[in-house]
Amino acid sequence: MRSMSSILIKGVQVAGKGEGKEKDIYIEGNLIEEIAEAGKGRISEAEFVLQGHGKVAIPGLFNAHTHAAMTLLRGYADDMPLHEWLSNKIWPVEARLTEEDVYWGTKLACLEMIKSGTIFFNDMYWHFRGIARAVTESGLRAALSGVFIDGFDEAQAKEQMQINERLYHESKGLSDRIIFVLGPHALYTVSEESLCWVRDFAERHDLLVHIHLSETEEEVKSCVGRYGMRPVEYLDSIGFLSPRTIAAHCVHVSSRELALLKQHETKIVHTPASNMKLAAGRMPYEQMKEAGLYRNIALGTDGCASNNNLDMFEEMKIASLFHKAFINPTVMPAEEAFELATVNAARMFRLNSGVIEVGKLADIVLLDLKNVALIPNHNLISNIVYAASGSCVDTVICDGKILMSGRKVEGEEEIKEKARTVAYRLVNGS
Ligand code: NI
């Protein structure tokens, strides 16, 4: 739904546009209508006026790989080997999840994202309807997919296809802020028959496809064992890869696989904190850049059980430091980390967002320049990536609506209380 309200942000600095100079940003409906020198614009009144003095406007951040409702499992099981962690801790709890649980877990995630300046997330989780309801209420943008897992079972495959077809049709009635995406979980949980169905359905309806790909060495080995090819080679062989494919992780990819990803202009989501925490390995970022894939890469936090928060400021810093630690300090400079969390991701999800310009969607975050982490401000992007955290965010506007102002979000206390109750009940199994 398009809001026809208007917002004027007065006297705010705009990242990348003559820093230090104050501007007025006028938003009408969900678009940025005018950016002018402070006090010099055509428009000087609006329904909502925000004082921008002492603040800087940056594009809202994008989290390109999440399992949002896993906020409920934050800190529940850490420091364990991946398989043991999944089998003994995560999956048994997930088996008990109801739609209402996922709704509250996603509400908590949306609250955390708003409070840390994220305006979009790309999710894959159970109980699609609960997630969609939480996103609709939150005011955020999201690409939502159910988890498509068939466990190589024909009956389950058929059921998953029917469910996804139904959700696709249902999703047309959802908010414009929600993009319906197909979410085949991974090569080790989804059969070839289902992957081919996803490929055809996505092509027919021009849908994005969100998949976990080459996260661990074991995954690569199991794929070679099953199909005689590495994961990317296999997906290429069945015609699965396209510019609409969004592959999370891509840690273990050969140079031949990088060439295939480039050939199909496949998109990649880097999840550095999760990969480090689960010791999955380090994505070959420099080789990806050499292969011409830079513009195809975005950043994601993964679920809160393996991160353990959704703060994209932290994720930008971790991404940059991860690669520097192993290569040299010039790898992934601050500007690149920032692009991965903004423009690159907006392109990936086909959204007219990710930068602050006239004609773009009004997805704007205001940082408080009085926050101690932002003083002094020699270089804003450096401060954003290396010094800031989500707590520097003062105001969040998404799709032309104010979701947070002065760090206050409507309904915050109720969300925290309900999510806490749901989380304890889930984990205690009662
Ligand atoms: Ni994941």
Side-chain angles (χ1 to χ4, degrees):
M1 243 177 291
R2 203 187 139 118
S3 139
M4 279 316 290
S5 60
S6 57
I7 302 169
L8 180 64
I9 312 171
K10 280 181 124 166
V12 72
Q13 297 182 40
V14 181
K17 293 189 170 59
E19 273 147 39
K21 288 207 184 102
E22 293 191 339
K23 314 245 178 193
D24 292 343
I25 302 175
Y26 178 74
I27 296 161
E28 190 166 292
N30 65 351
L31 295 176
I32 300 173
E33 193 83 12
E34 186 181 58
I35 302 173
E37 214 178 299
K40 303 266 175 72
R42 291 178 291 125
I43 307 147
S44 58
E45 279 175 37
E47 194 180 335
F48 299 99
V49 176
L50 299 173
Q51 296 304 330
H53 181 71
K55 301 188 182 94
V56 63
I58 67 167
L61 303 176
F62 285 69
N63 189 343
H65 179 67
T66 58
H67 311 284
M70 289 184 95
T71 44
L72 297 172
L73 301 180
R74 190 196 325 266
Y76 164 59
D78 300 310
D79 315 318
M80 292 171 74
L82 176 64
H83 191 72
E84 198 185 317
W85 174 74
L86 280 174
S87 317
N88 299 343
K89 291 289 184 177
I90 303 301
W91 290 339
V93 174
E94 287 189 333
R96 296 198 288 270
L97 280 173
T98 65
E99 184 178 316
E100 195 65 9
D101 297 338
V102 168
Y103 166 75
W104 283 110
T106 310
K107 293 275 279 184
L108 181 65
C110 290
L111 174 62
E112 187 182 352
M113 288 189 267
I114 292 169
K115 296 215 95 168
S116 53
T118 292
I119 54 89
F120 169 95
F121 66 107
N122 177 33
D123 206 55
M124 183 199 289
Y125 212 55
W126 313 98
H127 301 292
F128 183 94
R129 294 180 186 104
I131 303 171
R133 190 153 53 97
V135 172
T136 304
E137 292 171 5
S138 74
L140 291 174
R141 299 184 187 286
L144 302 184
S145 56
V147 190
F148 190 129
I149 288 182
D150 66 15
F152 300 88
D153 176 272
E154 224 173 290
Q156 274 194 51
K158 286 275 168 308
E159 194 190 328
Q160 287 294 311
M161 293 170 199
Q162 282 164 6
I163 290 172
N164 274 276
E165 201 157 346
R166 205 179 317 135
L167 288 177
Y168 165 69
H169 290 293
E170 253 181 65
S171 72
K172 293 182 177 174
L174 295 174
S175 158
D176 289 347
R177 290 179 279 104
I178 293 175
I179 302 169
F180 179 81
V181 173
L182 291 173
H185 173 263
L187 294 191
Y188 55 93
T189 47
V190 184
S191 66
E192 180 164 304
E193 189 199 1
S194 291
L195 290 169
C196 291
W197 180 86
V198 166
R199 172 198 67 196
D200 295 343
F201 194 80
E203 194 171 312
R204 192 163 349 119
H205 301 286
D206 191 28
L207 298 175
L208 299 172
V209 178
H210 182 194
I211 188 168
H212 291 99
L213 186 62
S214 299
E215 178 179 7
T216 63
E217 241 167 55
E218 295 74 60
E219 180 186 333
V220 175
K221 274 190 209 140
S222 94
C223 181
V224 171
R226 192 185 303 268
Y227 299 116
M229 284 173 269
R230 296 177 60 88
V232 177
E233 295 170 345
Y234 167 68
L235 287 180
D236 171 61
S237 79
I238 61 166
F240 185 90
L241 298 173
S242 86
R244 289 176 284 94
T245 313
I246 296 171
H249 305 307
C250 294
V251 171
H252 300 276
V253 278
S254 66
S255 54
R256 184 176 134 70
E257 287 179 294
L258 289 179
L260 289 171
L261 291 172
K262 175 62 189 166
Q263 184 192 319
H264 296 289
E265 291 296 349
T266 298
K267 307 302 187 290
I268 296 160
V269 184
H270 184 27
T271 54
S274 168
N275 294 156
M276 289 169 89
K277 188 162 184 258
L278 296 170
R282 187 178 66 87
M283 188 188 87
Y285 178 69
E286 325 81 80
Q287 286 93 323
M288 283 178 177
K289 275 181 75 182
E290 281 160 26
L293 284 161
Y294 172 66
R295 284 163 57 91
N296 296 20
I297 307 173
L299 276 185
T301 56
D302 213 345
C304 264
S306 62
N307 187 299
N308 294 4
N309 67 34
L310 302 169
D311 186 335
M312 288 302 294
F313 288 90
E314 203 174 272
E315 205 67 32
M316 289 190 278
K317 177 172 180 172
I318 292 173
S320 180
L321 267 49
F322 193 6
H323 302 286
K324 292 182 198 309
F326 288 90
I327 310 295
N328 72 55
T330 69
V331 179
M332 200 190 285
E335 292 76 12
E336 285 184 18
F338 188 64
E339 284 189 350
L340 299 188
T342 53
V343 269
N344 281 17
R347 196 182 301 120
M348 186 175 290
F349 295 95
R350 309 190 284 200
L351 285 166
N352 180 30
S353 179
V355 285
I356 298 182
E357 271 168 22
V358 170
K360 294 279 179 182
L361 287 167
D363 297 339
I364 299 175
V365 163
L366 305 185
L367 303 181
D368 179 7
L369 287 169
K370 292 190 290 300
N371 188 294
V372 70
L374 301 179
I375 298 172
N377 190 13
H378 294 305
N379 180 322
L380 178 69
I381 298 296
S382 164
N383 272 359
I384 288 172
V385 173
Y386 298 128
S389 70
S391 65
C392 296
V393 175
D394 178 85
T395 300
V396 175
I397 297 167
C398 178
D399 205 39
K401 291 247 174 70
I402 302 168
L403 306 188
M404 178 168 85
S405 159
R407 289 202 65 69
K408 288 197 179 59
V409 181
E410 213 185 299
E412 174 169 350
E413 291 314 315
E414 190 205 359
I415 294 169
K416 288 198 269 198
E417 197 183 307
K418 284 275 175 63
R420 199 184 283 128
T421 308
V422 167
Y424 291 145
R425 202 201 58 231
L426 256 183
V427 162
N428 297 330
S430 59

